[in-house]
């Protein structure tokens, strides 16, 4: 099939200094998304055609505060509402389009520099509540996009960079998350699944999202005449994650580490 998409949007952003150290800011986007398709499915039994379409209007936006405690340290807070338009599973010939996804998030964070700006550190706490989260669902014959009623991701992230001497940069990061469905019922169509009929997936881990991830970075840059040499090592460790919403052992990636040398 063929899917046609048209998006129109108007966006504005404003910042205002309440005091020399305190700034408020916000943004608003007016969007209209239109999608239509001419699709077909061919089988030995019969041929099926369809012309699904959908129109979605949205007003995502954000508002936040930034407080400069000193020349080197800033703390901030932010509340945002996000939106992802609906979708069409081309070739599935479904009577209805995939519902749009929306999310409301709250974030608190801080950024600071030290050692005469040779080092920097940032950290953030956040929570994101999703409605009709779009996810890839695996059936017997096809993979389609669907919706999960409600989901939430709570998390903490931090990152640090230090340059003790001019050629050397050291970095580290850590991310901890609790990505779960808070309201979702679905049927596992895997023929090997022992569960029959709709099951509650409340509390299950979101697909393709790990609960923990960390990284270490080292880079050495050295000028050699008219050339510059860069030697770097990057190690990333990622906790286990699942490939589907059912969190079954046959669709899971164990925790792993990856080392890149360049």
């Amino acid at each position: 099939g063929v899917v046609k998409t048209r998006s129109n949007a108007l966006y504005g952003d404003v910042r205002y200094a309440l005091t020399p150290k305190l700034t408020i800011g916000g943004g608003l986007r007016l969007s209209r998304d239109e999608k239509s398709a001419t699709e077909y499915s061919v089988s030995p039994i019969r041929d099926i055609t369809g012309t699904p379409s959908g129109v979605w209007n949205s007003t995502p936006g954000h508002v936040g505060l930034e407080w400069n405690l000193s020349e080197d340290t800033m703390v901030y807070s932010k509340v945002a509402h996000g939106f992802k338009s609906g979708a069409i599973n081309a070739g599935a010939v479904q009577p209805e389009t995939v519902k749009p996804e929306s999310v409301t998030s709250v974030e608190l964070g801080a950024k600071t520099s030290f050692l005469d700006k040779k080092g920097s550190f940032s950290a953030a706490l956040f929570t994101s509540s999703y409605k009709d989260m779009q996810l890839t669902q695996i059936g017997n014959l096809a993979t389609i996009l669907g919706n999960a009623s409600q989901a939430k991701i709570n998390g903490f992230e931090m990152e640090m960079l230090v340059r003790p001497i001019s050629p050397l940069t050291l970095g580290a990061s850590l991310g901890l998350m609790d990505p779960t469905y808070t309201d979702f019922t679905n049927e596992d169509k895997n023929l090997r699944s022992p569960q029959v009929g709709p099951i509650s997936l409340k509390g299950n881990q979101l697909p393709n999202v790990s609960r923990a991830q960390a990284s270490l970075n080292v880079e050495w840059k050295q000028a050699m005449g008219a050339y510059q040499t860069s030697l770097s090592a990057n190690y990333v460790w990622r906790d286990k994650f699942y490939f589907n919403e059912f969190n079954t052992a046959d669709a899971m990636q164990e925790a792993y580490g990856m080392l890149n040398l360049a």
Side-chain angles (χ1 to χ4, degrees):
V2 176
V3 179
K4 295 183 178 180
T5 301
R6 181 182 179 89
S7 297
N8 297 297
L10 178 65
Y11 178 77
D13 190 276
V14 62
R15 289 169 57 85
Y16 182 76
L18 299 173
T19 71
K21 292 188 175 183
L22 183 63
T23 301
I24 186 172
L28 187 66
R29 180 185 179 96
L30 306 178
S31 299
R32 180 181 175 87
D33 300 300
E34 304 175 17
K35 294 183 180 180
S36 61
T38 301
E39 57 177 348
Y40 61 90
S41 178
V42 179
S43 71
I45 301 175
R46 62 177 179 142
D47 297 343
I48 307 174
T49 61
T51 55
S53 64
V55 178
W56 301 275
N57 296 306
S58 61
T59 54
H62 67 90
V63 62
L65 290 170
E66 294 181 2
W67 186 16
N68 294 296
L69 300 178
S70 67
E71 183 181 346
D72 298 320
T73 303
M74 182 267 285
V75 296
Y76 66 91
S77 62
K78 184 178 180 180
V79 179
H81 177 71
F83 181 87
K84 183 189 292 184
S85 68
I88 295 173
N89 286 308
V93 195
Q94 295 174 315
E96 297 181 355
T97 59
V98 181
K99 296 179 182 178
E101 170 186 309
S102 62
V103 58
T104 300
S105 63
V106 179
E107 181 177 348
L108 300 174
K111 299 179 181 181
T112 185
S113 60
F114 52 92
L115 297 177
D116 292 328
K117 301 190 182 300
K118 293 180 180 179
S120 64
F121 176 81
S122 62
L125 279 169
F126 64 89
T127 180
S128 300
S129 297
Y130 292 83
K131 181 180 180 182
D132 293 323
M133 172 182 272
Q134 295 178 1
L135 77 157
T136 300
Q137 296 177 316
I138 302 173
N140 289 329
L141 301 176
T143 300
I144 63 172
L145 196 65
N147 295 100
S149 300
Q150 294 181 16
K152 177 174 282 191
I153 301 178
N154 299 319
F156 169 75
E157 295 178 342
M158 65 179 185
E159 181 181 21
M160 183 169 66
L161 293 173
V162 180
R163 183 174 290 175
I165 56 177
S166 181
L168 179 64
T169 301
L170 306 174
S173 67
L174 174 66
L176 303 174
M177 288 193 289
D178 180 27
T180 58
Y181 293 110
T182 54
D183 181 19
F184 186 27
T185 299
N186 198 16
E187 182 178 354
D188 190 353
K189 296 182 180 179
N190 188 331
L191 296 177
R192 293 175 295 171
S193 175
Q195 304 179 86
V196 179
I199 57 176
S200 174
L201 303 177
K202 182 178 181 180
N204 277 21
Q205 187 172 327
L206 300 183
N208 302 308
V209 184
S210 298
R211 293 187 181 275
Q213 184 168 318
S215 69
L216 295 173
N217 306 280
V218 180
E219 184 178 27
W220 181 279
K221 287 186 176 181
Q222 183 68 53
M224 301 176 66
Y227 300 91
Q228 179 170 276
T229 299
S230 172
L231 303 175
S232 64
N234 168 251
Y235 178 77
V236 176
W237 176 86
R238 184 175 178 183
D239 198 5
K240 72 175 183 180
F241 60 92
Y242 298 93
F243 296 106
N244 63 28
E245 65 271 34
F246 301 101
N247 291 185
T248 52
D250 64 344
M252 179 185 71
Q253 167 64 54
E254 294 282 2
Y256 70 90
M258 181 181 294
L259 176 65
N260 292 309
L261 303 176

